[in-house]
Amino acid sequence: ELRREGIRIPIAVMNPEIGSFGLIFDHKLEPEIYNFRLLNHFIDAAKKQGITDYPIHIKIDSGMHRLGFEMDDMTQLIQILQNQQQVKVRSVFSHLAGADDAKFDSFTHEQVSVFSNCANQLQQAFTHKIMRHILNSAGTERFSQYQFDMVRLGI
C-alpha cells in the first residue's frame, strides 16, 4: 500500500514470514533477518529469482532473548553472508528492553556492549558501510551516546 501511494524510501519489514518473500521482492521491501532458518530461506528465494545484493537488516539478540542472532552465532553468520551474493547487509540492529527505566540502566549498558561487539564483527567482515542502530524512543532520551548511525523513533 505504501509503494502504491508513492513512498519510495527504504521500508524495513519486521518479523517477515517466509511466505511473504515474493511480495517483499516485488515491492522492494527490506526484511529483518533474525535467525539462520530465515536467512537461508531468503537467500534461496533470492537465488531462485536471480536477485543479487538484496538489502537485509540483521537483528542481534543483545539480551531480550526473543529474536536475533547471538554473539556465538557471529562467525557462522559472517561465513554464510560472505559465501553468497544474493543479500547484502544494510544495517545491524538490536532493541533495548528497559531503556525507559533507570533500574535497568546496567542491563542497557550490557546490551549495548553485546550489540557493539556483534556489529563490529559484522562490519569488519565487509568493506561496505553497515548502518548500526539500537536506540528506540526512550533510548534517544536517556542514552544519546549510543545513537550510532541512526535511531528508531516511535512513541
Side-chain angles (χ1 to χ4, degrees):
E1 191 171 312
L2 292 171
R3 292 291 190 231
R4 281 194 304 270
E5 292 299 321
I7 304 297
R8 298 289 169 242
I9 61 173
I11 299 172
V13 176
M14 307 308 281
N15 199 6
E17 296 179 10
I18 291 172
S20 69
F21 292 168
L23 288 172
I24 286 173
F25 294 136
D26 290 347
H27 296 286
K28 295 179 176 49
L29 305 174
E30 301 179 7
E32 160 200 29
I33 303 293
Y34 54 84
N35 64 31
F36 290 112
R37 179 178 173 269
L38 191 61
L39 175 62
N40 290 326
H41 278 286
F42 196 77
I43 289 170
D44 288 344
K47 191 179 290 184
K48 285 178 185 169
Q49 293 203 25
I51 294 171
T52 58
D53 289 335
Y54 199 89
I56 62 170
H57 303 268
I58 297 293
K59 183 168 190 177
I60 301 298
D61 178 352
S62 61
M64 284 183 70
H65 303 298
R66 288 193 340 214
L67 297 174
F69 292 96
E70 296 181 3
M71 195 176 315
D72 290 343
D73 296 329
M74 295 309 296
T75 300
Q76 182 181 355
L77 174 62
I78 289 167
Q79 287 174 344
I80 290 170
L81 292 169
Q82 287 178 330
N83 291 309
Q84 56 77 50
Q85 285 132 23
Q86 283 64 49
V87 300
K88 185 174 185 178
V89 179
R90 178 169 285 198
S91 82
V92 58
F93 71 101
S94 192
H95 183 75
L96 298 176
D100 58 343
D101 193 331
K103 72 180 178 186
F104 297 117
D105 283 1
S106 64
F107 181 62
T108 296
H109 293 291
E110 286 177 40
Q111 282 193 273
V112 172
S113 177
V114 168
F115 169 72
S116 294
N117 184 317
C118 293
N120 288 341
Q121 286 183 57
L122 197 58
Q123 183 60 76
Q124 289 171 4
F126 297 94
T127 57
H128 71 279
K129 170 75 172 153
I130 299 173
M131 293 184 293
R132 298 169 301 156
H133 49 107
I134 194 169
L135 294 183
N136 52 13
S137 298
T140 62
E141 294 174 351
R142 302 193 63 246
F143 298 98
S144 62
Q145 70 271 31
Y146 299 134
Q147 68 182 336
F148 295 103
D149 299 307
M150 58 189 277
V151 298
R152 301 183 312 270
L153 300 175
I155 295 176

